[in-house]
Amino acid sequence: MATSLTMSLKPIALLLVTLTIIFNVEAARFDITNRCPYTVWAASVPVGGGRQLNSGQTWTIDAPPGTAAARIWARTNCQFDGAGRGRCQTGDCGGVLNCKGYGAAPNTLAEYALKQYMNLDFIDISTIEGYNVPMEFSSASANCRRVIRCAPGNILSQCPNELKVPGGCNGACPQLKREEFCCNNSGANCKPTPLSRFFKDRCPDAYSYPKDDPTSTFTCPSGTNYKVIFCP
């Protein structure tokens, strides 16, 4: 009986090993590095969660193919207790260290969807929900050369008065909550505004309003690895 059970388990074990190998080969690796001269609390959903990153530290996560609506961002000025409960001034995700949902604006966002249409990864940086930390989002594989940056030195100091918030420069939609900025029902009539152009002028490769796709969405072949750098 034991011998028969062992033999029946062998195909299952082999399948698990095979699936593990496939995942490791096809998963996209994200190296998230903090080059800011201060501590940030990196966040990543739906894969990763969150962790503290002191200056110079790197956090690596592996995201499986098919992962979509994914975001990576930095939280600033956080305080957490030993159970991982607390609060961040920017980018807070429900008062927990290990994020389960998106962060609160303002937060500079690295967004991605893996192995989508035509086996492509779609990546971007977005300032639609504002800006709190300079960011670079780049591919780290020889099969794709993409570098997206939003790292000007003047966004926080020149932030329009109506968008200024503690620790960052908020996006017009989360700050003012008007249809002209959020485009929830505007369809093709969604257009850039002077407030979105403030971000676009400083970060031309980043999303600045919801229909900014033509100049702000980039692709790489599925299986590409990536780097996200805070304060590049």
Side-chain angles (χ1 to χ4, degrees):
M1 177 69 73
T3 301
S4 299
L5 180 59
T6 300
M7 292 180 65
S8 65
L9 289 175
K10 283 183 178 180
I12 298 175
L14 181 60
L15 176 61
L16 291 174
V17 170
T18 302
L19 290 175
T20 301
I21 292 172
I22 291 173
F23 174 84
N24 288 335
V25 169
E26 293 193 353
R29 175 153 293 182
F30 290 79
D31 290 326
I32 305 166
T33 301
N34 178 25
R35 290 187 185 167
C36 301
Y38 48 84
T39 298
V40 301
W41 286 258
S44 174
V45 293
V47 179
R51 61 161 290 180
Q52 179 176 320
L53 279 184
N54 297 326
S55 184
Q57 288 186 323
T58 296
W59 174 33
T60 298
I61 62 172
D62 292 317
T67 301
R71 292 180 174 183
I72 296 170
W73 70 98
R75 294 169 287 173
T76 60
N77 296 323
C78 302
Q79 291 187 342
F80 293 104
D81 62 20
R85 293 186 296 266
R87 188 64 59 180
C88 300
Q89 185 180 45
T90 66
D92 188 77
C93 60
V96 294
L97 173 62
N98 191 27
C99 293
K100 304 298 183 184
Y102 293 158
N107 50 355
T108 320
L109 298 173
E111 302 179 312
Y112 66 90
L114 302 178
K115 201 170 185 179
Q116 303 292 304
Y117 177 69
M118 295 183 65
N119 285 328
L120 292 174
D121 297 343
F122 291 79
I123 63 173
D124 69 80
I125 287 178
S126 176
T127 60
I128 292 175
E129 296 193 9
Y131 174 98
N132 64 337
V133 170
M135 178 183 286
E136 179 179 291
F137 188 6
S138 64
S139 55
S141 300
N143 63 339
C144 189
R145 302 291 184 185
R146 296 288 188 194
V147 180
I148 315 169
R149 287 175 63 94
C150 183
N154 57 2
I155 283 188
L156 296 183
S157 62
Q158 297 180 4
C159 183
N161 288 332
E162 57 266 52
L163 301 182
K164 287 182 178 178
V165 294
C169 185
N170 212 352
C173 175
Q175 182 76 353
L176 303 175
K177 298 178 175 61
R178 299 208 302 263
E179 177 62 20
E180 64 185 293
F181 305 122
C182 299
C183 297
N184 293 320
N185 304 299
S186 300
N189 293 322
C190 182
K191 304 294 183 184
T193 67
L195 292 178
S196 73
R197 291 191 185 98
F198 167 80
F199 291 102
K200 196 66 173 178
D201 289 345
R202 290 156 180 79
C203 296
D205 292 333
Y207 267 88
S208 59
Y209 75 103
K211 296 296 184 180
D212 207 2
D213 306 76
T215 62
S216 306
T217 300
F218 302 91
T219 60
C220 281
S222 177
T224 300
N225 296 320
Y226 299 96
K227 295 180 180 180
V228 175
I229 301 174
F230 304 130
C231 301

